[in-house]
Amino acid sequence: MAVQTNSQKMAQAAYEQIAERKLDREFASFARSFPSLVHACGLAQAVAFAKAKNREQYLGDLAAVLKAAGHSEAASANSLERATREHSVTAYVRLSRNALQAAGWLKRYVEAVEQK
């Protein structure tokens, strides 16, 4: 069995989350804007904003991609939110970087599905 990089694991998990789903406009719009939201505000605020806007489905997808990359502490939307508040600074920075990468994969697949 070939060894996969974290990026490959995230890509596969993101594909599995998005591929067979019927996407609505609001989900797609949020998926496209979430990476820039993380850049501008940080992961903790972006996750809090998503929860406030009832984007649990997106957060669940993001958590599934992060789990595939080895973040078992962020395996669901609620545990992801908890992890952003309770992690040490170094663990938060690692989680933020991986979440930005995961959000990028979700965004790519949402855009690909929309173009079908």
Side-chain angles (χ1 to χ4, degrees):
M1 185 172 147
V3 176
Q4 289 186 313
T5 65
N6 271 348
S7 187
Q8 289 171 321
K9 292 174 188 175
M10 286 185 198
Q12 181 65 38
Y15 176 78
E16 290 169 3
Q17 295 299 311
I18 301 299
E20 299 300 321
R21 183 180 300 156
K22 173 93 169 107
L23 299 177
D24 62 16
R25 282 187 129 145
E26 289 181 9
F27 182 91
S29 175
F30 193 77
R32 283 192 304 274
S33 65
F34 192 78
S36 61
L37 187 61
V38 173
H39 265 296
C41 303
L43 181 60
Q45 279 187 311
V47 169
F49 179 77
K51 286 200 65 107
K53 293 293 184 179
N54 294 321
R55 301 288 185 241
E56 297 289 332
Q57 185 178 22
Y58 180 81
L59 289 178
D61 291 346
L62 182 65
V65 176
L66 287 170
K67 182 180 177 187
H71 288 282
S72 59
E73 76 282 3
S76 69
N78 289 331
S79 62
L80 173 59
E81 181 187 25
R82 191 175 332 103
T84 62
R85 287 183 279 119
E86 297 174 356
H87 272 5
S88 67
V89 174
T90 55
Y92 174 79
V93 169
R94 180 176 171 265
L95 180 62
S96 294
R97 286 182 182 162
N98 286 342
L100 194 55
Q101 215 178 358
W105 280 112
L106 288 170
K107 176 183 173 180
R108 285 181 193 108
Y109 286 122
V110 164
E111 289 171 345
V113 167
E114 282 185 319
Q115 291 180 1
K116 281 186 179 180

